[in-house]
Amino acid sequence: MNIEEVGIIGSGQMGNGIAHVCALSGYKVVLIDIAEEALNKAMQTIEKNLNRQVQKNKISQEKMDEAISKITTNTDSKALKNVDLVIEAATENFDLKVKIFQGVLEHIKKDCLLSTNTSSISITKLASTTDRAEKFIGLHFMNPVPVMKLVEIIPGIATTDEMFETSKQFAESLGKVVAVSKDFPGFLSNRILIPMLNEAIYALHEGVGDIKSIDTTMKLGMAHPMGPFQLADLIGLDTCLAIMNVLYEGFSDTKYRPCPLLVKYVEAGWYGVKSGKGFYDYSSDTPIPTR
Ligand code: CAA
């Protein structure tokens, strides 16, 4: 199982970050999205983030130019015909992901490997909707992808050992460190992280403390690089809610119920950094707490 060319579906914050690290590690990348505009925005983000690395002397200008030249973008899945591995990084929605894989299967090589960057949806269930469950795996990158060292690998029940080993080698070839999780709701990372963020939102909702106090508590008291509200805004409140719902439904346990205040923010379209407003308002240079 040799990987030279990677197809990435979805050019949002995770997809463009994955394209960034793959191209920087020498892989040819085909980045797919439904809208040309989204792809242009993704390429601008990749350039901006590669530039940061050049400015900080982490990579040379030559390496940056080489990485950019390795990425092609397309709105048509036909462009995936030569890829060796697909990484799906679309929105956290099961039906959408199934539809994407169905659209991809008719164009890819017979031995092309499949993976998803889902942060909580069952790998086994997604794999079973394809024609190659044994070559299907969860490759869960962390945001911001160029910075965070972890890739969580989640084999489904049908994933072969060979597929697991290839995926592990692939993640390590990107300079990442691997942690392995069994395929249960939220896997390891989000089973622990997202209920913590949800609990912070409950503390706010119940008036135990305001956003600033809660974020300061976790940053200065527990040495977290970001407070829970900053982090929830970075991940996206819609994603946080989707993951809480997967935990709630997957374990049928009320301890995972999403905080009504989180639901309210998502209903308002206040998704966090990506929409310009979440628990903080990002319309000025310094983010301002919304309560
Ligand atoms: N691309 C490239 N480089 C980037 C970057 C990006 N997108 N974002 C930040 N950087 C670089 C900066 O240039 C800087 O480099 P140096 O160390 O060389 O100076 C470094 O990363 C630190 O960035 P900043 O100085 O701008 O800011 P910071 O020190 O506050 O760090 C942070 C920012 C790395 C995001 C840090 O706050 C952090 O680690 N936060 C926690 C992030 C986290 O927990 N992510 C996981 C989210 S959960 C998830 O993703 C899974 C899920 O399924 C929900």
Side-chain angles (χ1 to χ4, degrees), residues 80-205:
L80 296 170
K81 63 179 192 310
N82 291 323
V83 306
D84 306 299
L85 167 72
V86 167
I87 306 176
E88 172 277 316
T91 311
E92 273 310 82
N93 176 305
F94 178 75
D95 294 336
L96 174 73
K97 287 180 191 293
V98 171
K99 208 170 135 205
I100 286 173
F101 280 114
Q102 288 311 314
V104 161
L105 285 173
E106 55 182 302
H107 301 300
I108 55 174
K109 296 187 289 193
K110 256 191 15 230
D111 56 355
C112 174
L113 311 176
L114 296 181
S115 70
T116 171
N117 180 56
T118 181
S119 42
S120 61
I121 294 171
S122 165
I123 303 302
T124 302
K125 196 169 157 195
L126 262 180
S128 74
T129 69
T130 73
D131 61 0
R132 59 195 81 183
E134 72 289 353
K135 291 198 189 86
F136 193 108
I137 205 157
L139 281 180
H140 183 207
F141 291 81
M142 304 292 135
N143 187 17
V145 181
V147 182
M148 305 307 283
K149 282 298 230 180
L150 178 72
V151 173
E152 186 174 34
I153 297 195
I154 310 105
I157 203 166
T159 310
T160 60
D161 290 347
E162 193 188 5
M163 177 64 190
F164 171 75
E165 279 308 324
T166 304
S167 308
K168 184 166 174 282
Q169 278 166 26
F170 170 71
E172 287 170 352
S173 75
L174 304 177
K176 303 295 184 193
V177 176
V178 161
V180 185
S181 171
K182 294 249 164 69
D183 183 23
F184 287 99
F187 317 134
L188 281 175
S189 55
N190 283 330
R191 180 166 177 173
I192 299 165
L193 175 66
I194 305 296
M196 187 201 75
L197 302 183
N198 194 50
E199 197 58 33
I201 303 168
Y202 264 115
L204 174 69
H205 183 51

Side-chain angles (χ1 to χ4, degrees), residues 14 20 49-50 52-53 56 58 119 140-148 189-190 193-194 225-226 231 234-235 239 243:
M14 296 310 289
H20 173 140
N49 287 332
L50 283 167
R52 282 199 216 212
Q53 293 173 300
K56 300 262 165 94
K58 297 242 157 100
S119 42
H140 183 207
F141 291 81
M142 304 292 135
N143 187 17
V145 181
V147 182
M148 305 307 283
S189 55
N190 283 330
L193 175 66
I194 305 296
M226 294 174 130
L231 185 53
L234 175 74
I235 293 167
T239 303
I243 298 170

